[in-house]
Amino acid sequence: DNSDIVFFDAVSFADTPDFTVKQNYTRKNKYKTDSGYNIFSAMCQNKEFHSAVYLMLFKTDFIVNNNLKFAPGLLHEDMIFTYQALCFAKVVSQCDKALYYRRYRKNSIMTSSKTKKHYESCIEVSKTNTKFTYDTFGSDISSECCQYLSRCAFNVFNVYGKLCKADRKACRGDLKKFRQYVIDNNAFGN
């Protein structure tokens, strides 16, 4: 297969019966082999895009040739990696099977109480994706890219709201600066 990326579904389960599984990784739509950008756009339109890197296989040459790397020290770094990979990929295909089992457990990065590290990582993810989008597409940004940038920015506000009171107070100034950054960069589109 000549695909740069092959994506697939996952089955979610919890460690304990009292823990709720919140994410469904099964796509209802079937996607024909296409460019990564077109696949990304179609999945966004169908509300089936998942940035989880463990739902994809990547050709090594593709990663090396496009200098794709995870940002060190960030949480949610796959939101950068996956987005950039799909924007660069010339050929992406779907394996219409669940090939991964996604375990939900208490106290993981995704299920633990939100910290300043989560908050700061979400800001960096949003800013990195916004810069990448403008550097890559200029002012010709699709509604799907705007939708994704909005999702990244929304994550910042969502995580801020989940911080403890002391952390919210400490981060309030950064949140105001971030809000202005979003407005200045039109991250929510028109």
Side-chain angles (χ1 to χ4, degrees), residues 120-179:
E120 291 163 352
S121 291
C122 286
I123 287 177
E124 188 60 32
V125 166
S126 183
K127 287 183 173 184
T128 299
N129 281 338
T130 299
K131 181 178 182 337
F132 170 80
T133 301
Y134 280 100
D135 289 351
T136 303
F137 303 110
S139 60
D140 187 27
I141 300 172
S142 71
S143 62
E144 292 80 19
C145 286
C146 284
Q147 177 186 345
Y148 189 62
L149 295 179
S150 295
R151 178 176 155 190
C152 293
F154 176 77
N155 285 345
V156 173
F157 297 103
N158 186 41
V159 169
Y160 175 83
K162 294 178 180 179
L163 293 174
C164 70
K165 189 175 181 178
D167 284 348
R168 279 197 312 271
K169 185 176 180 181
C171 295
R172 192 169 293 132
D174 289 337
L175 185 69
K176 288 179 182 178
K177 289 177 190 173
F178 179 74
R179 182 179 288 125

Side-chain angles (χ1 to χ4, degrees), residues 4-163:
D4 297 317
I5 302 171
V6 177
F7 68 94
F8 46 87
D9 294 338
V11 174
S12 299
F13 69 96
D15 270 354
T16 59
D18 63 324
F19 196 73
T20 305
V21 173
K22 298 178 183 174
Q23 186 78 39
N24 178 11
Y25 293 106
T26 304
R27 294 176 182 89
K28 294 178 183 171
N29 292 285
K30 308 305 172 223
Y31 298 91
K32 293 183 179 181
T33 299
D34 204 337
S35 71
Y37 183 79
N38 288 343
I39 293 284
F40 167 78
S41 295
M43 285 194 290
C44 285
Q45 289 168 7
N46 295 325
K47 298 184 179 1
E48 294 186 324
F49 173 69
H50 302 290
S51 61
V53 74
Y54 51 77
L55 297 175
M56 300 179 185
L57 297 173
F58 300 88
K59 191 182 285 184
T60 303
D61 288 349
F62 167 73
I63 291 173
V64 171
N65 293 341
N66 288 287
N67 198 29
L68 291 169
K69 297 177 182 169
F70 286 99
L74 284 184
L75 304 177
H76 315 294
E77 68 277 13
D78 51 352
M79 291 184 74
I80 298 170
F81 184 92
T82 304
Y83 176 58
Q84 291 182 4
L86 285 170
C87 288
F88 288 138
K90 298 200 181 348
V91 181
V92 174
S93 58
Q94 178 181 28
C95 175
D96 186 23
K97 293 181 180 172
L99 300 179
Y100 187 80
Y101 285 83
R102 167 47 164 111
R103 178 177 69 127
Y104 278 85
R105 62 180 177 79
K106 292 181 181 179
N107 300 316
S108 72
I109 290 172
M110 296 299 292
T111 63
S112 62
S113 296
K114 300 307 176 208
T115 64
K116 282 177 70 174
K117 176 79 170 171
H118 287 91
Y119 173 73
E120 291 163 352
S121 291
C122 286
I123 287 177
E124 188 60 32
V125 166
S126 183
K127 287 183 173 184
T128 299
N129 281 338
T130 299
K131 181 178 182 337
F132 170 80
T133 301
Y134 280 100
D135 289 351
T136 303
F137 303 110
S139 60
D140 187 27
I141 300 172
S142 71
S143 62
E144 292 80 19
C145 286
C146 284
Q147 177 186 345
Y148 189 62
L149 295 179
S150 295
R151 178 176 155 190
C152 293
F154 176 77
N155 285 345
V156 173
F157 297 103
N158 186 41
V159 169
Y160 175 83
K162 294 178 180 179
L163 293 174

